[in-house]
Structure formats: structure tokens, C-alpha cells
Amino acid sequence: MDKLIIHGGRRLTGEVAVSGAKNAALPLLFATLLAPGPHRLGNLPQLRDITTAEHLLAGLGATVESRNGRVVLTSNTPATFEAPYELVRTMRASVLVLGPLLARYGLARVSLPGGCAIGARPINLHLKGLEAMGAEIHLDHGYVEARAKRLKGARIYLDLPTVGGTENLIMAATLAKGTTVLENAAREPEIVDLVRALQGMGAKIEGAGSDTVTIEGVDELKPMDYAVMPDRIEAGTLLLAAAMTAGQVRVLGARPEHNEALLSKLEEVGADIDIDEAGICVTGPGEICPVNIRTQPYPGFPTDMQAQFMALMAIGRGTSVVSETVFENRFMHVCELQRMGADINIDGHTATVQGVEQLLGAPVMATDLRASACLVLAGLAADNTTELSRIYHLDRGYEGLEQKLRKLGADIERVSA
Ligand code: UD1
């Protein structure tokens, strides 16, 4: 298993390009099930989750070919309509095949994802929405089996703005008979990206990016030709690397409108932010001011940046409070940060962080994707050497992070243990 060895204390400077967004790419890949193809998808990041999605699509009859940095997919009628446990277990986003399969073929069998390290993460709202659209749903030996002759439009209120649920239901509604109105829909930029691609395929959708999305079903869709949006979480992580090392980093391709909550918090921290057409530049402050954050659905502060921001607060000059409201168990990075000398107390969904002058390099273990990124950032700012193991989590969601950081002057290398 690979490890990252980080010798901390280098000031990061320079320019680095952001990759395509994993969380946009996955629903876009699954949306190709809605039409025969050939579909063309550009700016896909090279990540383990993307390979898993391609395996899943291949199992569902698709042919997948990479040409000149673009992927060409053809979605043939599958021999099986199943997303098996082995794949859903490693990547929960696999449940996003449910809506497209049901809409196009009237049948889907998808393993229930179960819990994961950061919380229970049920899919009850995905299922409730599909039932409202006329699907018959049965649970069978750990699988959800859904059937419908043709889905029909419905008015669906989501009890909470689930990102995956909104994506699944939008995709399902594109081929339903009649109009679907999703209320209390999630507003994340990745949903807007998905809707743009679907509109290019001929779908009739209004209101993406607001809390009410209206989809008028059509009889068939055309192949997709689309480029994935830049990854706002990767961009945010690289900008935090600049803030943590008193460095100056310009992230090329980063979109300020996708990262407003983070940028306003970085300003409060004392960082200098410069935005131009090429991207976002952050200059880290000499002294990091403590700032409170509370994670919320978009446009609130993203839960996917909480762990990384806590690494920054761990070396702030004073006390900050980090509240996690989206997932129930997303503080697993705290024990590892404490091993690096951070002073953090957890009480329920709230972590109180008392900044320390210096983090201390240590052997630490990644527990999930964003926790891994948090520990990389901590290692960059710590003294001596940090050895980060279980980085397969990092490889699920960050394309070549160590190469990008090395380009900015970090002393970081991957070794095979
Ligand atoms: C997506 C992102 C993930 C991010 C999360 C929140 C992808 C591939 N992943 O995950 O990186 O952290 O959004 O921004 O895009 N919930 C229910 N019932 C449901 C669905 C969700 O109770 O049917 C709850 C979940 O348990 C969780 C909360 O809603 O507490 C948010 O989940 P959701 O927005 O669905 O996250 P994902 O789509 O899984």
C-alpha cells in the first residue's frame, strides 16, 4: 500500500491547474445511460472513482474508450440492470444508475449502499421520489429492485436537499411522461453542470441551481457532448495549502462563484485573495486568525472542505468552532490531527479548535477522502516528517495531488510500503 512522506515547513508558491470535478463527472457518466450514444465527455479527472464508474457502466452494457483525453461511451442495452454490491460498496455514487436505468429501461437493481465512515447515508429520499413517479420498489437481499413501465411526472418535496437524490430524480424525470417538480432540491454547482449536459442531450429542465427544479419529460434524448466543470473542492484544498504555508498559489481554472463561502472565510482568516480570468490566487497571512465555520448545503460552507479548513484552524492564533451539520460522523480526522499536536475538543457536532503554534510531524492514517486531504495540509505545515498511510482514500478523489503540491515547492513523495 502506498504512503505519502511529507517534510513540512516549505512555503508553497506558483501556479497549478485544477482538474475536472469528481462529483460532477460521476453523475455525468451515469447520465450516459439515458441515451444510446456515442457520448463524448471531456475534462474527466483520472481517479479511482472514475474507473469504478466506468467498470459499472461496462457491466451495464456500455463500451468505454479513452481518446485524446476524452472518453467516448456507447450505452448498449444491458444484459443485466444491476449495480452490484462489490462496486456500490467502494463507491456510493453508484446508486446514481438507479434513475437513468429505470427511466430508460423500466428496470434497475442496485445494491443498497449501507453506512460509510462519515455516517449512515441512506437513500430513502431517492426511493421516495421514484415511488412518487410511479416506480414499484422492493428490497431484496440487500438490493433495491425498482420497476416502472414508464415513469410519470410528479411533484416531489425532498425532506432535505440531498445532492445525489436531486441528481437521481432529475435524470429519472428527463424521460418520464409529464412534468416533475422537485422542491427543496439541492443547489450544488455539480447539479447545474449535470443539468447543462442533460439540456444539451435535449432534456427540458428549468430552475437548476435553485431549490425548485422543473423537468418536462421527453420521449428520447440525444448523445452527450460535454466537458466536466472544474473541481471546486480540489481548488479549495490547493488554496488552503497556500494559506497554511504563508505561501502564494494561483489555482488556474478555479471558479470563484463556486467557492464563495470558502473565499469569504479565507478573507476572515487574513488571507489575500486575487481573482482574475485565469483563476484564484491566495496569499497566506503571516498570522492565521481563528474563524468559525458551520457546514451546510450549497451555497453554505461545504462539508467536503470542513476537514481541510480544520487543519488551517489548528494553527490559528486563538479559538475557532467548527460545526458539522451535514454528516453525523465527520470528525475522524480529529484524532489524527491530535496526534500531530493539534488541540481540538469534540462535543457532538461541534469541534472547538484551540490553535497551536506548530503542528508536529507524525505517522498518521487517512480514514476517508477529505480527511486524507486535511492530513496532507497538516503535514505541509508541520515540522519534521509526516507519514500518511491508507492514501487509497486520497486517490479516489484527488488527481495527482502530490505532483501538484511538489510543483508548488512542497517536499512530498509517494512511496510503496
Ligand atoms: C454528495 C457528494 C459528497 C458530499 C455530499 C454533501 C457526490 C458523489 N458526493 O454526496 O462528496 O459530501 O454530497 O455535500 O457528489 N440523506 C438522507 N436520505 C437520502 C439522501 C441523503 O437522509 O435519501 C442525508 C445523508 O445521510 C446526509 C445528507 O442527507 O446526511 C446529505 O447527503 P447527500 O446530499 O445525499 O450526499 P451525497 O449525494 O451522498
Side-chain angles (χ1 to χ4, degrees):
M1 245 190 278
D2 290 359
K3 283 182 179 181
L4 284 179
I5 310 290
I6 308 164
H7 301 288
R10 306 281 161 98
R11 184 170 176 262
L12 300 197
T13 54
E15 293 184 344
V16 64
V18 66
S19 295
K22 166 182 89 72
N23 285 356
L26 294 174
L28 287 167
L29 281 167
F30 297 136
T32 63
L33 290 167
L34 288 164
H39 303 276
R40 291 181 170 75
L41 203 45
N43 203 29
L44 274 179
Q46 285 186 8
L47 297 170
R48 224 184 65 212
D49 272 8
I50 299 299
T51 320
T52 306
E54 288 172 357
H55 277 144
L56 180 51
L57 289 171
L60 292 169
T63 50
V64 184
E65 281 172 68
S66 287
R67 279 188 216 150
N68 307 326
R70 283 163 74 85
V71 170
V72 181
L73 292 111
T74 307
S75 160
N76 309 305
T77 304
T80 158
F81 297 87
E82 181 170 306
Y85 178 62
E86 297 74 54
L87 291 180
V88 180
R89 186 170 56 94
T90 58
M91 189 184 67
R92 301 176 44 83
S94 309
V95 299
L96 294 178
V97 300
L98 192 53
L101 281 180
L102 194 55
R104 176 134 173 251
Y105 301 106
L107 179 62
R109 194 174 137 82
V110 174
S111 169
L112 272 171
C116 74
I118 61 174
R121 299 183 82 175
I123 56 163
N124 57 316
L125 300 174
H126 304 226
L127 302 184
K128 190 180 138 193
L130 292 172
E131 272 179 334
M133 295 169 78
E136 276 180 33
I137 294 183
H138 299 285
L139 298 185
D140 173 39
H141 297 89
Y143 279 75
V144 173
E145 220 174 74
R147 283 171 194 273
K149 265 217 177 84
R150 184 174 181 190
L151 292 172
K152 51 184 194 311
R155 180 169 283 271
I156 300 164
Y157 175 81
L158 294 171
D159 294 335
L160 51 88
T162 153
V163 176
T166 302
E167 291 165 345
N168 231 341
L169 295 174
I170 288 176
M171 289 190 279
T174 55
L175 291 177
K177 189 170 172 52
T179 304
T180 299
V181 181
L182 281 183
E183 286 170 351
N184 200 27
R187 301 165 57 188
E188 269 67 3
E190 291 76 13
I191 292 170
V192 178
D193 210 45
L194 170 66
V195 166
R196 282 208 185 111
L198 291 170
Q199 286 167 333
M201 294 169 77
K204 294 189 177 160
I205 306 172
E206 278 177 18
S210 78
D211 59 6
T212 305
V213 182
T214 305
I215 309 108
E216 200 188 313
V218 296
D219 289 337
E220 54 180 21
L221 293 170
K222 297 182 295 203
M224 176 188 301
D225 189 352
Y226 198 71
V228 180
M229 65 176 265
D231 194 315
R232 64 191 169 104
I233 306 300
E234 188 207 19
T237 304
L238 293 165
L239 294 173
L240 280 180
M244 284 204 66
T245 61
Q248 184 172 63
V249 172
R250 183 175 300 278
V251 181
L252 303 172
R255 300 233 185 108
E257 67 275 21
H258 292 169
N259 263 320
E260 278 176 4
L262 175 70
L263 293 178
S264 91
K265 288 296 171 182
L266 274 171
E267 264 175 355
E268 279 183 52
V269 160
D272 197 48
I273 294 161
D274 178 43
I275 293 170
D276 66 16
E277 275 171 18
I280 306 173
C281 179
V282 162
T283 307
E287 252 186 32
I288 295 164
C289 298
V291 166
N292 301 339
I293 58 160
R294 185 181 180 79
T295 66
Q296 272 170 339
Y298 190 85
F301 192 94
T303 174
D304 283 352
M305 287 301 305
Q306 179 258 107
Q308 302 90 310
F309 200 84
M310 195 186 293
L312 176 65
M313 290 300 92
I315 52 169
R317 288 293 156 96
T319 309
S320 57
V321 177
V322 174
S323 306
E324 173 60 56
T325 75
V326 179
F327 290 108
E328 63 263 35
N329 190 23
R330 210 172 195 180
F331 282 147
M332 272 144 346
H333 45 285
V334 168
C335 294
E336 301 300 302
L337 284 176
Q338 284 167 336
R339 301 191 61 251
M340 298 178 73
D343 181 353
I344 305 171
N345 277 302
I346 301 179
D347 183 9
H349 293 283
T350 302
T352 305
V353 187
Q354 180 64 51
V356 295
E357 198 130 312
Q358 176 76 65
L359 289 171
L360 314 170
V364 286
M365 212 162 66
T367 49
D368 68 63
L369 170 56
R370 306 306 170 186
S372 327
C374 150
L375 295 172
V376 170
L377 294 182
L380 292 173
D383 74 351
N384 287 323
T385 305
T386 296
E387 212 178 290
L388 175 60
S389 54
R390 297 204 179 164
I391 54 168
Y392 50 85
H393 290 293
L394 198 68
D395 295 337
R396 281 189 43 220
Y398 286 90
E399 184 178 47
L401 185 63
E402 75 267 20
Q403 284 98 318
K404 289 187 179 182
L405 291 171
R406 225 175 9 245
K407 183 168 178 267
L408 297 171
D411 186 344
I412 178 170
E413 63 169 331
R414 180 183 287 252
V415 294
S416 289

